[in-house]
Amino acid sequence: MDSMEINKGMAAVLVAGIVFFLTGWIGVTLVDEKRLEKPAIAIQGAPAADASSGAPKPVELPPIAPLLAKADVAAGESTAKKLCTSCHTFTEGGKAGVGPNLYGVVGGPHAHMEGFNYTAGMKAKTGPWTFDELNEWLHKPSAYVPGTRMAFAGISNDQQRADVIDYLHSLSHTPVPLPAP
Ligand code: HEC
């Protein structure tokens, strides 16, 4: 192979590279890549996509007040005993386990137990625990406090969740008033 042929080969590679680069650039310039504002095909029952980010919107939970109005404290207590006692105590002055003691948590501040090692995400939450916030939290802890150490998937049944919140609400000498339905 003489040097002329090697040169031709190298030129071919170079030209191919330039053509490859140019076609890519022309493609990007010609095609205006924009997201559709609405999905082209709406799927019934699917959560609507957020136009700006493309992320699904958080699930809208039904209002907690009417569910609390017909909540059953005893049912809530038995659900809590089943699902929560592996990590929580509910008695006044009860010890922390994997999770904090929960006496007086409703209406108390987020991260309400003195001395418990809460996650940064939980400590960053300000203000007292409201019924709505507890509703969201117990529906899906990892959505309410990303990175939480409460390794619990959540209670998906709306009334069952309200029953548990009603039980938590009873754990106080002076329970905060229930929201008006
Ligand atoms: C696997 C252990 C575990 C289970 C099961 C669990 N939790 Fe928790 N829980 C935690 C931990 C750990 C935290 C602290 C979370 C943090 O700091 O992010 C917590 C925090 C909480 C808080 C916030 C307390 C505060 O002081 O702000 C509430 C309310 C709560 N849990 C309720 C419940 C209820 C009700 C159940 C049952 C339906 C439950 N948890 C099941 C471990 C658990």
Side-chain angles (χ1 to χ4, degrees):
M1 212 194 285
D2 62 21
S3 68
M4 189 61 192
E5 253 175 277
I6 292 173
N7 279 347
K8 272 197 232 161
M10 276 167 47
V13 170
L14 200 67
V15 169
I18 291 169
V19 169
F20 178 78
F21 174 81
L22 280 179
T23 41
W25 179 76
I26 291 167
V28 169
T29 317
L30 286 182
V31 179
D32 186 11
E33 198 187 342
K34 246 195 220 143
R35 275 182 185 280
L36 293 178
E37 276 187 14
K38 281 189 192 149
I41 302 165
I43 300 162
Q44 266 212 325
D50 188 320
S52 54
S53 67
K57 276 195 184 137
V59 205
E60 286 277 340
L61 296 177
I64 187 73
L67 295 169
L68 280 173
K70 57 176 173 157
D72 181 342
V73 183
E77 176 170 7
S78 94
T79 304
K81 293 261 144 81
K82 256 189 285 179
L83 301 179
C84 326
T85 42
S86 49
C87 299
H88 291 289
T89 57
F90 295 94
T91 49
E92 187 174 10
K95 270 198 272 174
V98 175
N101 171 263
L102 291 180
Y103 189 87
V105 72
V106 178
H110 285 77
H112 86 300
M113 189 187 184
E114 205 67 49
F116 185 82
N117 183 22
Y118 289 96
T119 56
M122 181 63 85
K123 284 192 276 197
K125 293 274 179 188
T126 52
W129 274 110
T130 64
F131 291 102
D132 282 319
E133 288 169 329
L134 282 162
N135 192 29
E136 269 182 63
W137 166 246
L138 292 179
H139 176 255
K140 198 168 185 218
S142 61
Y144 184 76
V145 176
T148 181
R149 253 186 299 113
M150 173 151 143
F152 178 71
I155 304 171
S156 56
N157 182 291
D158 296 325
Q159 189 61 59
Q160 202 179 23
R161 208 165 53 244
D163 291 349
V164 169
I165 295 171
D166 200 30
Y167 169 60
L168 293 177
H169 168 252
S170 73
L171 305 174
S172 167
H173 291 298
T174 50
V176 293
L178 286 172

